[in-house]
Amino acid sequence: MSLVAGDPLPGLRRLRFAPSPTGQLHIGNVRTALLSYCLTGTEGRFLIRIEDTDRERYIPEAVSGYLGTLAWLGLHWDEGPDIGGPCAPYTESERLEYYAEVASQLLDVGAAYRCFCSKERLEELRAAQKAAGQPTRYDRRCWRMTASEVEKEVDQGAEQVIRLLMPEGKSSWKDLVLGPQEFQNAEIDDQVLIKSDGFPTYHLAQVVDDHMMGITHVIRGVEWVPSTPKHLAVYSALGWAPPHFAHVPLVLGADHKRLAKRHGSGAVADYRAMGYLPEALANLIAFLGWSPGTEEEIFTLSELRTRMSFDRLQASPAVFDQQRLDHLNGVWIRRIPAADLASRLREFLPEADDPQLAQIAAMVQERIHRLDEVPDLVRFAFANPHPKSEELTGKLDPHIAQEFLERASALLDKGTGYLMEGLKSAAAATAPEDPQGAKRHVRECMQVVRVAITGQRVSPPLPESIDLIGIDVAKARLAEAMAVIAASV
RNA sequence: GCCCGCAUCGUCUAGCGGUCAGGACACCACCCUUUCAAGGUGGUAACCGGGGUUCGACUCCCCGUGCGGGUACCA
């Protein structure tokens, strides 16, 4: 086995997204993934790695869900657990031997030590330190054990972990987002690298894998800033060159708290179900902490990939605004071809056939913000609405409504082409003198027909709606409406 | 408690010593209009506070405040 850095394409950027399969991909995760994907650029390689080293929180089904979400967003990867690649395997639980090997190297050079302390002792230690107002850190008791004492413990099969011996001095790096960072190593705990179950912690696995996979830039959330010195210590002890680090700020909810489940649906899969387009979501997420520096605001993923750069990444946290997402989604719905919209509508309208989908797409494209608005908007096409008399007439005199419906039915004999003009002049003929009243009267008349046809006061335009259900059905609905009104007079 | 970071309209942001502090979402008004949208025009709305540095600070420095992150055999 070799621990040489995998760098199959020297000089090119290699970025990774390395989620932990513990649930569902949330906006925050996906933001990191999107930034990594975009900052990989068109020349580099983007890879996915599964960090499944926490066996207690591990959810096996999560992996395929993650990959599905990433693919839906269009974040295509060049190497990953499903497609393999030169640095396979891309799942950490399958790379245990590497971590064990590195851990023993660290032990050999004295950069790490075995620790046999029980969890109870560690808890007591922490509690005491906290009570004394001290930072909570491991007291290195096991580090002071002699070789023979350690040997004895090992021989007895005592439960052990391997801890990093945090070196003296300072750790510093030039963060691509936050700028120069410096920490006093004395303030940093001796991190556990190998847990008692033999699995590595993130801190070891991540360093080993990023090195072996030739990762050039690590993009992660700011919650990792305080542990970066630990990672730097491991790189240094092994004589490995660390990658560039870019710590991006958290995504916040409307209450300015870290975006989480309590904000409703933070899971990306839920946004898909609500009828948001991946284009819109990616567009919005990209602007959380980044902007092109111009007044452009609509970008495709591939445009983002060519335009995005580290130096325009912002260090301040951003609030995820669903109203803005609604707007952007409307923009994107209007931007894609109607045929494309039709096929995306399919999962929201399983009862519609392809020709219907095409008609529906054309008539809703300009008026929706989310795909899930469509079923309500076109419900009339799949079920007879049977509106009640008062819903039909509204504020209109029933006799006038009646007459108007009759007129509409007659006009339909000639198709829907001249329907609106005919209706308008018919309505105008019975309108009162004053201009305001006339306007209202015409509107009310039109509404009678709309309700008769669709059962709704808000619907897509009438001619298209009628074309969707067919003239015969429309005429039947008009006849029914007239009968309903007649019965109630 | 200790360590670290952040701070421009309600929100996303532009700004990188001299601007009427720009754009977008949302909101309001008007126009267009068969409803709802879309579109058009206009409007309300911001540099957290205090000290410096400077001829001049939203921009640079310090302090305060607020918000956030970390402080695990979780990532």
Side-chain angles (χ1 to χ4, degrees), chain A residues 337-343 345 356-366:
Chain A
D340 188 357
L341 179 60
S343 68
L345 243 20
Q356 285 177 315
L357 244 19
Q359 276 179 291
I360 290 169
M363 68 194 216
V364 301
Q365 188 159 28
E366 273 204 355

Side-chain angles (χ1 to χ4, degrees), chain A residues 70-281:
Chain A
L70 260 12
W72 175 72
L73 274 168
L75 268 24
H76 302 297
W77 51 98
D78 303 299
E79 301 168 29
D82 55 336
I83 55 174
C87 305
Y90 292 86
T91 299
E92 292 186 341
S93 59
E94 296 166 23
R95 303 173 60 83
L96 264 22
E97 55 178 315
Y98 298 127
Y99 313 129
E101 168 64 22
V102 171
S104 94
Q105 273 182 224
L106 289 169
L107 246 21
D108 290 346
V109 300
Y113 58 94
R114 296 181 200 278
C115 175
F116 305 94
C117 290
S118 67
K119 284 179 184 164
E120 293 70 44
R121 183 180 115 78
L122 295 176
E123 263 165 45
E124 284 165 22
L125 185 63
R126 263 196 290 274
Q129 288 168 332
K130 217 162 190 173
Q134 294 295 313
T136 53
R137 279 201 292 281
Y138 180 58
D139 63 0
R140 292 190 168 170
R141 188 174 79 161
C142 291
W143 175 61
R144 288 188 293 268
M145 289 170 74
T146 63
S148 61
E149 284 173 325
V150 170
E151 202 176 319
K152 196 171 148 196
E153 291 281 354
V154 173
D155 287 347
Q156 286 174 348
E159 198 163 79
Q160 59 163 303
V161 301
I162 295 177
R163 280 183 189 275
L164 172 69
L165 180 69
M166 201 58 200
E168 290 178 4
K170 298 174 186 174
S171 295
S172 61
W173 74 97
K174 169 92 177 66
D175 198 278
L176 262 19
V177 174
L178 303 176
Q181 300 292 304
E182 185 175 275
F183 282 84
Q184 300 295 328
N185 287 177
E187 283 156 8
I188 298 174
D189 205 359
D190 284 351
Q191 183 63 232
V192 169
L193 298 177
I194 300 278
K195 301 181 256 192
S196 55
D197 65 0
F199 276 76
T201 57
Y202 169 90
H203 305 280
L204 207 225
Q206 182 258 166
V207 169
V208 172
D209 290 340
D210 282 343
H211 176 254
M212 294 182 71
M213 294 181 180
I215 299 303
T216 57
H217 302 256
V218 170
I219 300 178
R220 43 155 60 155
V222 287
E223 68 270 26
W224 294 107
V225 170
S227 45
T228 303
K230 301 169 185 175
H231 308 154
L232 255 12
V234 176
Y235 279 107
S236 162
L238 266 2
W240 294 346
H244 297 290
F245 291 100
H247 290 96
V248 294
L250 265 12
V251 180
L252 273 24
D255 57 358
H256 287 233
K257 301 283 183 205
R258 185 175 179 162
L259 200 61
K261 290 192 187 83
R262 67 174 172 281
H263 293 98
S265 41
V268 174
D270 292 342
Y271 286 95
R272 179 183 185 171
M274 284 187 277
Y276 288 107
L277 267 36
E279 289 92 336
L281 206 50

